Amino acid sequence: MSEANEQLSMPTTYDPKAAEQKWYDYWMKGGYFKAGRLPDAEPYTIVIPPPNVTGMLHIGHGLDFTLQDILIRTKRMQGYDALWLPGSDHAGIATQTKVEQQLREEGLSRYDLGREKFLEKVWDWKHLYADNIRNQWKKMGLSLDYSRERFTLDEGLSDAVREVFVKLYDKGLIYRGKYIINWDPAARTALSDIEVEYKEVQGNLYHLKYPLADGSGSITVATTRPETMLGDTAVAVHPKDERYKDMIGKMIMLPIVNREIPIVADDYVDKEFGSGAVKITPAHDPNDFEIGLRHNLPQIIVMDESGVMNDQAGPYESLDRFECRKQIVKDLQEQGVLIRIEEHVHQVGHSERSGAVVEPYLSTQWFVKMKPLAERAIEAQKSGKGINFVPDRFEKIYLHWIENVRDWCISRQLWWGHRIPAWFCEDCNHMHVAREAVHACEKCNSTKLKQDEDVLDTWFSSALWPFSTLGWPDVNSEDFKRYYPTNVLVTGYDIIYFWVARMIFTALEFTDQTPFKDVLIHGLVRDSEGRKMSKSLGNGVDPLEVIERYGADAMRYMISTSSTPGQDLRFRWERVEQARNFANKIWNASRFALMNLEGFTYDDIDISGELGTADRWILHRMNETSREITRLIDAYEFGETGRLLYNFIWDDLCDWYIEFAKISLYGQDAAQKKKTQSVLAYVLDRTMRMIHPFMPYISEEIWQHLPHEGETVTLAAWPKYDSALESPEAVQEMALLMDMIRAVRNIRAEVNVPMSKKVELVVKPADERTYNSIKRNLEYVERFCGTSNLTVKLDCNAPDKSMSAIVTGVEMYLPLAGLIDIEQEIARLNKEREHLNKEVERVEKKLANQGFMAKAPANVVEEERAKMEDYREKRDKVIARIQELQEV
């Protein structure tokens, strides 16, 4: 429980740096983020999408992690046994590429070091960047359970990877074979389809004339990659193409290499595209590979793994593929084979990691048969037992991909990653797939065994993340039994295919459950102009820089409340500044309150009994706000949650209630003062709890100064809706008071009368009820309208030469003799009449619209009718006042 001297020690300004370090250390020391403190409570689990250990976190991570932290902090306060499990991903290609770049700067390659020494270097990199990531998490204020932190190459996760691999292999769902794959010549490894980024490239279409071997003519083909012609093993035409029906079966003499190849007929060929004849290079094109299988064509590889032409390329051996292209084009022109070159814009695959142009390449790889696994996921989704996507439109995107999925190439020609658990006997070539290392061949008993050199695709281990991190394959693991399946996955739409889909079908296969109930899809963080952030544009934002300049709370509040599920958001520094200003507003208001709570303890708080209008109103608004933000957080509507919190804190609490509270805080009535102190302390306490998931540091700092129970706001109970705090009458009375105060202040501003100058005010209520309401709250009207003489009468005439204001249920007049310009006031009232005329006309049109009347709910129609009556009433009063002034 805080004491009075602690309450008064609050600094005049909020220092984010001091607060952030202090409170994060306090939370860590107290172990408040650890799951398992409430063994009888309902569990709530999030596993973090593991960031790659390739560098520092970016602002997109800031969004992703902040949204998760809001959820986990809210659920922890709501009494759940909340687990937020942290971890990082080894990120095979990406990390290995970074370390290899580092070695190149030293004039070395991985081959100079050898596999073991190179891996030592990568582990050193991992430890450095995992520490960096952990420090960034702490700077962001993330309430992670570090005692359960995992890494995708942990021993336990490696057990899970081997278990899955062996089981899928034993079921015939993993196989090894030659296939055309996406090849990264820079990283010298295979890529999955979704690791290829397609970019529009300005290239050329080369039209080549291949002569028939019998000298009877030629056939024209077109290609964007003339260097691959060296591996051509056929030319294909459509079987129903009349132009070529007599050529099918004939042989062609392939230029440059002078090899005879056949003309084959295949339905794949589009008769309408180009010449209707296509060159077939089975070892360097995925579609040609399929055609080659159908026609039993040879597969000739003409370049090596680094994109350099090999001995099958004849005179071009040892040339880089692009150099070969230039030379072969020149030679084809000289031989008269190249008919023409035309500019051609087309999509070219690039490695997402290295940036190299991807080469379709025939290679022996490991694959997962996807169809059987996908079928179960599709059935679960369509039967209603699948995942709840937020927003739901992403379900269609997910289903479209999984319904059209191709076999997954899972082997990578890297050293960093999960080594494929397959051993080959050097004596009899028998292959062993096993969970543990094999030392003797089961077929010939030879001990000459060699493990497959390749590693698994990073996404293979990431696909197991929701259950492998919780102890699987040990299904009796306490964490697996208690915290699996998880509740929600928060991730960007850019990895639905990479990761989300794979986690779903893997979890269904190995745990018989979906890995999470909900998938919250957020957009990307773009720059202020809407561009994707990238190194090349230099427009990236470091979250630590944002925190350094404005504090973690400002960054968290801005980035989380600027987002709408599924939509991209634009990062603007001015929004961070606005969030910082919001934090300062909270601080200043709280500091004022605490200066007026001297000696006030938690036991003194009593909000029962008779309370003033403003007190009942703020309790109602706080209660209403807590109910709404609870609903909105459960619906993942963080932007709307932020708007409600902002409006409640800035407008209701700071601008109105605290100002109203000053009357009793500075007054002589001790009992009324204590009531207001109770309400102020109670509301501020609940407000800090509500804002805590968004702004954990400033809320903890303020809460610790407030009269409170417990050690930390992190574990304080979430404010629940309490029907006893509802007060619609107070809401109605406050609405009237605020309208009156605003109206009088507007008049003062128009005629330049400062608040320091007292004015006369005549108030004419429309009825007895409104009259009584105003009389109950006269002190507020007198104080905030700045009156020297206040008259409230049901029946009174407008004073001569006075300014007027009309609000719902009340006419107000400010006699301003010597200050008012009658003509100017008439002009102002005429403008108000025009405005009200437009509003009346708008509502009348709406109510005359048959479509609206047929579709709108009854309560909405009634609201529009009430608006129309209100506008008409105000307009009539404005017209009457204009007439009065014209008679003055």
Side-chain angles (χ1 to χ4, degrees):
M1 186 182 298
S2 62
E3 300 296 334
N5 61 343
E6 289 179 306
Q7 294 167 24
L8 294 174
S9 66
M10 212 168 154
T12 53
T13 57
Y14 175 58
D15 180 1
K17 289 180 184 176
E20 287 164 14
Q21 189 62 54
K22 174 176 68 174
W23 292 119
Y24 206 89
D25 290 346
Y26 176 77
W27 294 329
M28 291 295 289
K29 186 178 178 181
Y32 302 132
F33 302 156
K34 287 185 180 179
R37 292 179 308 97
L38 303 170
D40 297 326
E42 183 181 343
Y44 183 91
T45 314
I46 300 176
V47 291
I48 202 167
N52 296 341
V53 287
T54 48
M56 307 296 276
L57 302 180
H58 53 69
I59 198 69
H61 290 113
L63 168 63
D64 193 70
F65 298 157
T66 299
L67 297 183
Q68 293 170 68
D69 197 34
I70 290 168
L71 291 169
I72 213 76
R73 284 182 182 273
T74 302
K75 293 301 176 181
R76 191 183 289 122
M77 295 172 77
Q78 287 174 343
Y80 288 83
D81 178 14
L83 167 61
W84 188 15
L85 189 146
S88 52
D89 197 305
H90 67 280
I93 296 176
T95 306
Q96 179 159 319
T97 300
K98 292 279 189 182
V99 178
E100 288 196 82
Q101 285 171 352
Q102 202 174 56
L103 285 175
R104 275 197 294 275
E105 291 170 8
E106 302 170 24
L108 297 170
S109 76
R110 60 171 156 152
Y111 301 103
D112 294 324
L113 297 182
R115 189 167 193 142
E116 295 308 314
K117 289 287 184 185
F118 176 75
L119 288 177
E120 287 177 16
K121 289 274 189 187
V122 189
W123 275 107
D124 289 343
W125 174 283
K126 179 267 172 186
H127 293 312
L128 173 65
Y129 281 95
D131 287 346
N132 287 342
I133 287 168
R134 204 173 294 114
N135 289 333
Q136 286 179 293
W137 283 339
K138 291 176 180 180
K139 287 282 188 184
M140 292 180 195
L142 307 183
S143 59
L144 293 154
D145 184 346
Y146 294 99
S147 68
R148 289 174 164 86
E149 185 176 347
R150 305 306 300 268
F151 178 57
T152 48
L153 286 178
D154 280 352
E155 187 176 336
L157 273 67
S158 296
D159 291 342
V161 166
R162 289 193 296 272
E163 181 72 16
V164 167
F165 188 98
V166 172
K167 282 189 172 180
L168 289 176
Y169 179 81
D170 289 345
K171 289 181 74 171
L173 294 177
I174 283 183
Y175 64 93
R176 189 168 183 260
K178 277 197 168 187
Y179 207 81
I180 282 281
I181 45 86
N182 301 300
W183 186 263
D184 182 337
R188 291 203 280 184
T189 184
L191 303 172
S192 67
D193 289 345
I194 52 181
E195 289 172 309
V196 178
E197 186 179 11
Y198 285 90
K199 299 177 183 177
E200 199 171 80
V201 171
Q202 175 68 58
N204 293 312
L205 191 62
Y206 303 90
H207 295 265
L208 310 177
K209 183 170 64 176
Y210 286 2
L212 293 173
D214 62 9
S216 61
S218 64
I219 191 166
T220 300
V221 298
T223 180
T224 57
R225 299 192 302 150
E227 67 277 10
T228 64
M229 69 171 287
L230 303 168
D232 285 1
T233 55
V235 167
V237 296
H238 195 278
K240 294 181 180 177
D241 193 330
E242 291 295 320
R243 293 171 293 178
Y244 303 115
K245 64 178 181 178
D246 295 332
M247 287 189 181
I248 295 169
K250 284 191 174 187
M251 302 301 285
I252 289 167
M253 186 61 70
L254 185 63
I256 305 291
V257 292
N258 294 319
R259 183 174 66 242
E260 285 194 359
I261 61 174
I263 297 175
V264 299
D266 197 280
D267 288 331
Y268 168 78
V269 180
D270 182 357
K271 292 187 294 182
E272 307 305 320
F273 182 76
S275 66
V278 294
K279 59 190 282 301
I280 305 300
T281 319
H284 291 278
D285 184 277
N287 297 314
D288 293 3
F289 176 77
E290 298 290 347
I291 293 172
L293 291 180
R294 289 196 287 272
H295 297 276
N296 199 28
L297 298 173
Q299 299 164 341
I300 302 173
I301 301 172
V302 297
M303 63 183 75
D304 66 17
E305 293 179 351
S306 58
V308 172
M309 308 309 289
N310 63 17
D311 57 1
Q312 292 292 323
Y316 308 103
E317 184 180 359
S318 301
L319 285 179
D320 171 80
R321 55 184 168 156
F322 298 118
E323 283 301 315
C324 174
R325 180 180 300 176
K326 292 177 187 176
Q327 187 60 49
I328 205 168
V329 166
K330 183 181 175 184
D331 293 345
L332 289 170
Q333 282 174 322
E334 289 177 359
Q335 294 181 19
V337 174
L338 181 57
I339 302 169
R340 70 180 188 279
I341 303 172
E342 60 179 295
E343 290 187 351
H344 179 66
V345 177
H346 60 136
Q347 297 287 322
V348 176
H350 291 69
S351 169
E352 188 191 48
R353 300 300 183 190
S354 73
V357 173
V358 169
E359 187 67 41
Y361 196 72
L362 184 64
S363 178
T364 300
Q365 301 289 340
W366 291 88
F367 295 87
V368 174
K369 284 183 183 175
M370 292 294 293
K371 287 291 183 188
L373 295 168
E375 283 167 4
R376 186 169 182 187
I378 293 164
E379 183 198 353
Q381 202 64 31
K382 291 189 173 179
S383 66
K385 297 177 183 176
I387 306 294
N388 174 40
F389 282 85
V390 181
D392 58 9
R393 69 176 183 275
F394 287 102
E395 180 181 23
K396 290 180 182 176
I397 295 170
Y398 159 73
L399 277 173
H400 177 76
W401 182 78
I402 207 166
E403 285 170 347
N404 295 280
V405 73
R406 294 169 60 182
D407 284 359
W408 173 17
C409 177
I410 56 170
S411 46
R412 297 290 182 271
Q413 289 63 53
L414 304 171
W415 289 352
W416 174 244
H418 290 278
R419 192 92 172 259
I420 288 176
W423 287 260
F424 299 91
C425 177
E426 293 184 37
D427 287 335
C428 71
N429 292 324
H430 181 65
M431 183 176 72
H432 306 70
V433 171
R435 292 170 180 81
E436 303 297 334
V438 180
H439 301 290
C441 178
E442 62 187 4
K443 191 173 181 182
C444 72
N445 293 321
S446 170
T447 56
K448 292 182 179 178
L449 293 163
K450 188 176 181 182
Q451 188 175 359
D452 194 307
E453 292 287 333
D454 291 351
V455 300
L456 288 163
D457 177 14
T458 298
W459 298 103
F460 191 92
S461 51
S462 299
L464 319 182
W465 186 252
F467 53 92
S468 64
T469 52
L470 293 170
W472 190 94
D474 178 7
V475 293
N476 293 314
S477 154
E478 289 301 317
D479 276 2
F480 181 74
K481 287 193 295 185
R482 176 150 181 78
Y483 298 110
Y484 185 82
T486 68
N487 291 77
V488 61
L489 172 76
V490 181
T491 189
Y493 59 66
D494 52 334
I495 57 171
I496 292 175
Y497 311 141
F498 281 99
W499 192 40
V500 178
R502 287 169 175 168
M503 281 191 287
I504 295 169
F505 70 67
T506 310
L508 286 168
E509 177 69 19
F510 291 99
T511 71
D512 288 321
Q513 297 180 83
T514 55
F516 22 74
K517 296 181 181 72
D518 296 343
V519 175
L520 171 60
I521 305 290
H522 60 73
L524 303 179
V525 182
R526 298 185 178 272
D527 71 8
S528 59
E529 296 176 32
R531 299 173 301 175
K532 190 174 180 179
M533 292 184 179
S534 68
K535 287 183 181 176
S536 60
L537 289 173
N539 61 348
V541 175
D542 179 356
L544 293 193
E545 182 190 351
V546 183
I547 292 168
E548 178 69 22
R549 286 171 63 176
Y550 293 102
D553 288 333
M555 186 206 74
R556 289 169 59 107
Y557 185 81
M558 181 283 297
I559 204 164
S560 60
T561 60
S562 297
S563 70
T564 302
Q567 299 296 318
D568 291 345
L569 67 96
R570 295 188 181 192
F571 181 91
R572 291 191 172 97
W573 283 103
E574 57 267 30
R575 285 187 183 167
V576 192
E577 192 169 344
Q578 288 165 6
R580 191 269 315 273
N581 294 343
F582 180 41
N584 288 341
K585 182 83 168 181
I586 296 170
W587 181 262
N588 292 334
S590 301
R591 188 169 176 273
F592 164 80
L594 285 160
M595 285 191 294
N596 288 279
L597 291 173
E598 185 177 356
F600 201 80
T601 69
Y602 184 80
D603 292 333
D604 291 327
I605 297 175
D606 178 12
I607 58 169
S608 63
E610 182 130 2
L611 298 173
T613 298
D615 296 328
R616 288 181 289 119
W617 169 75
I618 198 65
L619 288 169
H620 175 104
R621 286 290 298 120
M622 182 217 70
N623 194 41
E624 188 176 54
T625 302
S626 71
R627 178 184 61 193
E628 279 304 291
I629 67 167
T630 302
R631 180 185 67 79
L632 289 166
I633 290 174
D634 284 344
Y636 308 116
E637 292 285 355
F638 301 107
E640 189 63 13
T641 305
R643 187 187 66 80
L644 284 185
L645 280 169
Y646 184 94
N647 289 345
F648 171 72
I649 294 171
W650 192 293
D651 297 337
D652 297 345
L653 180 58
C654 297
D655 284 358
W656 287 105
Y657 179 70
I658 286 178
E659 291 303 312
F660 275 40
K662 288 176 182 177
I663 293 175
S664 53
L665 289 174
Y666 298 160
Q668 301 302 311
D669 188 331
Q672 182 57 44
K673 178 179 178 179
K674 192 168 184 180
K675 284 292 182 186
T676 298
Q677 287 177 313
S678 288
V679 171
L680 195 53
Y682 183 88
V683 170
L684 268 178
D685 169 56
R686 266 62 182 176
T687 301
M688 291 309 106
R689 300 184 198 204
M690 288 190 287
I691 200 71
H692 178 70
F694 294 84
M695 293 178 154
Y697 290 118
I698 195 170
S699 57
E700 183 76 86
E701 180 74 30
I702 293 169
W703 190 82
Q704 291 288 351
H705 285 84
L706 287 166
H708 68 264
E709 274 188 325
E711 299 173 25
T712 171
V713 71
T714 298
L715 302 182
W718 183 254
K720 291 182 179 178
Y721 172 77
D722 182 357
S723 60
L725 297 180
E726 290 296 301
S727 183
E729 301 85 1
V731 171
Q732 197 170 18
E733 286 193 5
M734 275 296 290
L736 174 61
L737 291 172
M738 290 189 288
D739 281 349
M740 291 172 66
I741 292 164
R742 286 192 199 101
V744 171
R745 288 182 171 181
N746 286 341
I747 291 173
R748 281 176 167 274
E750 281 186 40
V751 293
N752 200 25
V753 178
M755 283 300 296
S756 58
K757 185 175 179 65
K758 299 294 183 183
V759 296
E760 280 191 59
L761 178 61
V762 177
V763 177
K764 183 181 179 182
D767 52 43
E768 192 82 29
R769 186 166 166 272
T770 307
Y771 172 82
N772 291 331
S773 176
I774 295 169
K775 292 295 277 186
R776 277 195 298 272
N777 296 285
L778 274 182
E779 57 186 344
Y780 296 134
V781 180
E782 289 171 340
R783 169 74 179 271
F784 297 107
C785 290
T787 63
S788 57
N789 184 24
L790 174 61
T791 303
V792 182
K793 285 186 177 181
L794 281 168
D795 185 19
C796 65
N797 297 319
D800 290 342
K801 294 188 179 180
S802 61
M803 294 286 285
S804 67
I806 298 167
V807 299
T808 304
V810 175
E811 295 175 47
M812 293 182 292
Y813 305 101
L814 269 73
L816 295 171
L819 294 176
I820 185 173
D821 183 321
I822 299 293
E823 294 304 318
Q824 193 176 65
E825 173 62 357
I826 290 172
R828 184 187 72 81
L829 288 169
N830 276 322
K831 282 185 182 178
E832 178 67 10
R833 181 178 62 180
E834 286 173 18
H835 167 71
L836 290 168
N837 277 336
K838 287 177 183 175
E839 290 299 316
V840 169
E841 186 180 350
R842 181 184 63 79
V843 178
E844 284 177 343
K845 281 183 180 177
K846 203 169 192 179
L847 292 171
N849 185 320
Q850 295 303 314
F852 170 76
M853 295 298 287
K855 293 177 183 177
N859 65 310
V860 173
V861 173
E862 282 309 308
E863 283 176 15
E864 292 299 318
R865 284 184 175 139
K867 279 183 193 175
M868 184 173 67
E869 291 306 313
D870 187 41
Y871 290 139
R872 283 175 173 171
E873 183 183 343
K874 287 177 181 175
R875 182 182 61 183
D876 291 344
K877 289 176 179 176
V878 166
I879 292 169
R881 181 60 182 147
I882 290 171
Q883 289 172 346
E884 288 173 9
L885 285 175
Q886 286 172 338
E887 293 170 4
V888 172

